[in-house]
Structures are given as structure tokens and as C-alpha cells.
Amino acid sequence: DIVCRSLRVVQSNGKSAVMIGSSELGGRIRVHGKNGKVTTSISRSDDGTGHLVNFSPSEQLVSLLGGTNNDGGILVTYSSSGKRLVVLRSSGSGTNNDGGMLTTYSQSGKPLIGLGATTGGGLLVVSNKTGEGIVTLAADDYGNGTVGAWNRKGKGRTLTPQ
């Protein structure tokens, strides 16, 4: 057995290849590219879940895969400016839905499309460029379909079967 607080494996050029270590939160693994910059990190987050994080060659955050503090999972992809573009999450304990949710975002970080599951069934939300929901398609708790449309000021209506 090798017992240590950290272990660093170097490449032939002397730059880090892999770093295995510990922190106040637990264990951590960092994988480095040929240039010595971090490409991947596996660690524990503040809320006690595990995360796998990937970085671009310039060490910009690209994606995150991990758990959530309500026993669900999450995958997030980011733009080159660090804004989230896509979030895929599963529901966990204590949530109001029965499944997952996929949300896409604009380059400015506003939610544009949400696709998911609720206790009544499926749900689709389309938002305008400012992130305001303007169209919904959903199944209600009785198994009926509903369609909603609103203007940017929030005025609109919902159609339900008669």
C-alpha cells in the first residue's frame, strides 16, 4: 500500500499528467493535457455529490456530469463564454415531477425550451429571447392535453378539451 495525501504523475516533458489527491471534501482526480492544463476533474462537491467536469484546451468549463442534493442526476454543457447551454436533469426525492427535464438556453443564458415530465405527464415550454414562457403544451392530472399561449406581457390563455 502507498499512503499519501497526493500523488502526481508527470509526462516526459515534466508537466503534470494526472494528479490524485485529497481535500477537505474528499478525494479528487485531475487529468492534464500535454500542455499541463487540466482537461478533466473528478471530485466531490460541497453538497456531498460527485462531479465529473471537463474543460477545453484553454481550461474553460465545457461540461459537468454529477449528482444533485435531492438524489437526482444532472448533465450541463457550457458555451465558450461559460454560459450554460443545455441542462439535462433527473428528478430526485422531494420534487414535484416524475422524471427528467431538458432545458436549452440562449447564448445570453436565458431559458428557451423546456421539455420534461410532471406528475400529469409530458410538458413542453417555449420561451422568447428574454426567457419568458410564451407557449406551453402539457398533460394535466386527468390525462387531458392543454395548450397555452401568452404574449410577452403575460396575457394569454390556455386551451383545454371540453
Side-chain angles (χ1 to χ4, degrees), residues 15-106:
K15 296 186 180 201
S16 292
V18 177
M19 181 78 148
I20 302 171
S22 64
S23 71
E24 61 278 355
L25 298 176
R28 177 176 49 204
I29 299 172
R30 289 191 177 163
V31 178
H32 302 258
K34 284 190 337 184
N35 60 4
K37 294 184 177 182
V38 176
T39 61
T40 306
S41 176
I42 301 172
S43 63
R44 180 178 175 265
S45 68
D46 291 338
D47 65 8
T49 61
H51 286 154
L52 170 66
V53 181
N54 293 298
F55 300 92
S56 70
S58 62
E59 292 187 308
Q60 177 68 40
L61 180 62
V62 173
S63 66
L64 177 142
L65 174 65
T68 63
N69 58 6
N70 64 353
D71 299 329
I74 189 166
L75 169 63
V76 184
T77 63
Y78 297 89
S79 70
S80 58
S81 64
K83 300 273 188 185
R84 62 185 173 185
L85 291 178
V86 178
V87 176
L88 175 63
R89 71 177 71 234
S90 63
S91 63
S93 59
T95 62
N96 291 329
N97 62 35
D98 276 349
M101 183 67 156
L102 172 66
T103 307
T104 62
Y105 296 84
S106 68

